[in-house]
């Protein structure tokens, strides 16, 4: 039996979930109606056709990325918090981010995060071109890191694997280094270490 009541918000949430799980190609009006237990006509009534639904999903994604709030006691800590949250958000919705990019809204999507970074680098004493450089460096670090993560996840199984390549001889007689490089990378920790180093350098060199 079809549901008697349905809201636009419920449709967008369900559509976003389908895209996250299976990609945009899996989002059909019939499939979405089945997911929601309603008639296809009800979907059309609330959101229009499939293109209108995709546009609404893109706008929703842009809005969600605009809700990132800095946290921490210092400008450096707050910049790092923005970077970490942005990475998590991009990782959580790759298909939706791709849709935003295809519709030419990538710069608009990043604007709120950039504005949050601008506020924090201003608080740290950066102005003008140096502030712009810091904002872009952090943004590119996040995006580049996410792209590398995604590429590694989709890459074919490596032969030989890292654990087979690293040993005392290949690590310049540093066995602890060999063991660390042979172990799986902790991507969250590695990202945090790298972005902290970047931010510390950018803010420390503000007088140069």
């Amino acid at each position: 039996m079809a549901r008697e009541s349905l809201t636009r918000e419920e449709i967008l949430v369900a559509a976003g979930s389908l895209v996250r799980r299976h990609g945009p190609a899996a989002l059909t009006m019939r499939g979405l109606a089945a997911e929601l237990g309603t008639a296809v006509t009800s979907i059309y009534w609330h959101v229009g056709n499939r293109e209108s639904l995709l546009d609404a999903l893109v706008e929703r994604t842009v809005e969600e990325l605009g809700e990132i709030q800095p946290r921490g006691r210092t400008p450096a800590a707050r910049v790092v918090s923005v970077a970490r949250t942005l990475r998590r958000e991009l990782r959580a919705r790759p298909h939706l981010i791709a849709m935003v990019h295809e519709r030419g809204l990538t710069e608009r999507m990043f604007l709120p995060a950039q504005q949050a970074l601008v506020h924090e680098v201003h608080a740290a004493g950066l102005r003008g071109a140096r502030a712009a450089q810091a904002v872009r460096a952090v943004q590119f670090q996040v995006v580049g890191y996410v792209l590398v993560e995604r590429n590694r996840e989709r890459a074919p199984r490596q032969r030989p694997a890292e654990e087979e390549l690293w040993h005392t001889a290949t690590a310049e007689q540093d066995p602890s280094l060999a063991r660390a490089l042979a172990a799986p990378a902790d991507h969250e920790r590695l990202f945090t270490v790298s972005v902290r180093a970047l931010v510390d350098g950018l803010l420390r060199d503000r007088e140069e």
Side-chain angles (χ1 to χ4, degrees):
M1 179 181 296
R3 292 173 54 179
E4 295 183 359
S5 63
L6 188 67
T7 67
R8 177 182 174 85
E9 179 66 14
E10 288 175 314
I11 293 172
L12 292 178
V13 169
S17 177
L18 277 176
V19 172
R20 283 192 185 94
R21 284 181 280 145
H22 307 296
L27 182 59
T28 66
M29 303 305 264
R30 288 186 179 278
L32 182 57
E35 181 94 353
L36 287 164
T38 192
V40 174
T41 52
S42 182
I43 305 293
Y44 282 106
W45 174 263
H46 286 284
V47 297
N49 61 21
R50 185 175 182 275
E51 281 302 306
S52 296
L53 174 58
L54 291 175
D55 286 340
L57 279 179
V58 166
E59 289 294 333
R60 181 185 175 88
T61 302
V62 171
E63 291 172 3
E64 288 174 347
L65 266 292
E67 295 174 357
I68 295 175
Q69 297 295 324
R71 291 180 173 82
R73 295 184 177 181
T74 65
R78 290 192 289 272
V79 169
V80 171
S81 78
V82 170
R84 294 182 67 188
T85 303
L86 182 58
R87 169 183 169 266
R88 286 196 298 270
E89 294 297 323
L90 295 178
R91 294 269 304 153
R93 38 172 76 75
H95 296 304
L96 291 168
I97 299 302
M99 287 167 50
V100 172
H101 182 69
E102 289 168 4
R103 280 163 167 71
L105 293 171
T106 305
E107 298 303 327
R108 178 179 160 195
M109 177 185 70
F110 281 119
L111 180 61
Q114 288 177 314
Q115 289 177 309
L117 293 172
V118 165
H119 181 79
E120 299 308 332
V121 299
H122 272 173
L126 295 183
R127 290 292 187 276
R130 291 305 299 268
Q133 182 180 46
V135 169
R136 285 177 172 159
V138 172
Q139 180 188 352
F140 284 23
Q141 172 78 356
V142 175
V143 175
Y145 196 92
V146 170
L147 289 175
V148 169
E149 286 185 287
R150 294 284 295 166
N151 286 336
R152 286 177 64 90
E153 290 167 358
R154 293 185 295 224
R157 182 178 178 182
Q158 300 298 298
R159 297 184 180 87
E162 282 185 310
E163 60 267 23
E164 299 171 287
L165 289 169
W166 286 106
H167 44 77
T168 302
T170 56
E172 296 189 352
Q173 308 306 312
D174 186 340
S176 62
L177 170 64
R179 286 192 298 272
L181 288 174
D186 182 336
H187 293 287
E188 175 73 23
R189 183 174 182 180
L190 182 60
F191 175 77
T192 301
V193 167
S194 63
V195 78
R196 278 178 180 162
L198 173 65
V199 171
D200 287 345
L202 290 167
L203 301 188
R204 181 177 61 247
D205 298 336
R206 61 183 176 273
E207 300 300 331
E208 294 183 2

